[in-house]
């Protein structure tokens, strides 16, 4: 009986840990989304890893510096972002997040709308989940 109770408690603790990890990743995605709409250089620097690979649906790939510059300069200007159909997979210290991004943009003062499928790759660091990679593809 004690053995069954210990097994149950171990399962309960590991399940709680998994849900907590998923919530942390989802919070990081939410924070990144807010920062893409209202960029802050210090906050962006903290959530994005130095070796970021940021892929656009048109094939352009940016480094961390290029990504931050495009947001902070208004070259890439998100007015509003809505994420749907999000899924999170966590494997050790890596998380894969997929979602559909619907956004209103104002890139270089030209209003527009985008709908993209996004894959985000997050790395668990001492200070929390950090963005390592992103790839977008156009919704067919």
């Amino acid at each position: 009986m004690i053995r069954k109770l210990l097994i149950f408690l171990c399962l309960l603790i590991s399940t709680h840990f998994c849900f907590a990890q998923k919530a942390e990743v989802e919070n990081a995605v939410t924070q990144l989304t807010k920062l893409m709409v209202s960029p802050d250089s210090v906050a962006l620097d903290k959530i994005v890893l130095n070796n970021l690979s940021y892929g656009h649906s048109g094939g352009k790939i940016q480094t961390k510096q290029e990504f931050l510059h495009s947001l902070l300069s208004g070259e890439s200007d998100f007015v509003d972002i809505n994420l749907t159909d999000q899924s999170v997979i966590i494997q050790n210290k890596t998380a894969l997040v997929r979602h559909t991004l619907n956004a209103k943009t104002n890139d270089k003062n030209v209003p527009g709308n985008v709908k993209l499928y996004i894959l985000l790759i997050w790395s668990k660091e001492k200070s929390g989940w950090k963005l390592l990679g992103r790839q977008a593809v156009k919704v067919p």
Side-chain angles (χ1 to χ4, degrees):
M1 182 67 168
I2 292 175
R3 185 177 187 165
K4 288 181 182 179
L5 182 60
L6 286 174
I7 291 171
F8 175 74
L9 287 174
C10 288
L11 288 173
L12 186 64
I13 290 169
S14 66
T15 301
H16 174 72
F17 179 74
C18 289
F19 283 120
Q21 289 278 73
K22 183 179 177 190
E24 288 176 12
V25 172
E26 289 171 339
N27 287 338
V29 172
T30 299
Q31 182 182 5
L32 175 65
T33 302
K34 288 178 182 176
L35 288 169
M36 290 174 70
V37 173
S38 300
D40 174 281
S41 61
V42 174
L44 280 165
D45 186 58
K46 287 181 182 178
I47 198 169
V48 175
L49 288 171
N50 288 335
N51 52 349
L52 172 73
S53 177
Y54 190 92
H56 293 268
S57 61
K60 181 179 180 180
I61 297 176
Q62 293 179 312
T63 63
K64 176 182 180 175
Q65 293 74 24
E66 293 166 332
F67 169 62
L68 296 183
H69 174 75
S70 68
L71 286 176
L72 296 167
S73 69
E75 179 183 320
S76 181
D77 185 5
F78 290 95
V79 176
D80 183 53
I81 298 175
N82 181 36
L83 304 179
T84 58
D85 304 321
Q86 184 162 283
S87 65
V88 177
I89 298 170
I90 299 173
Q91 179 69 41
N92 298 322
K93 294 184 175 189
T94 304
L96 302 178
V97 178
R98 288 190 179 273
H99 53 238
T100 302
L101 175 143
N102 289 284
K104 292 181 183 178
T105 60
N106 195 32
D107 298 350
K108 298 181 184 176
N109 292 317
V110 178
N113 292 296
V114 294
K115 184 172 185 178
L116 303 168
Y117 292 139
I118 305 290
L119 170 65
L120 300 173
I121 300 128
W122 294 87
S123 177
K124 177 73 173 190
E125 305 294 319
K126 288 180 183 177
S127 57
W129 289 96
K130 307 298 178 190
L131 185 64
L132 175 62
R134 184 256 200 188
Q135 185 60 58
V137 295
K138 295 176 184 172
V139 175

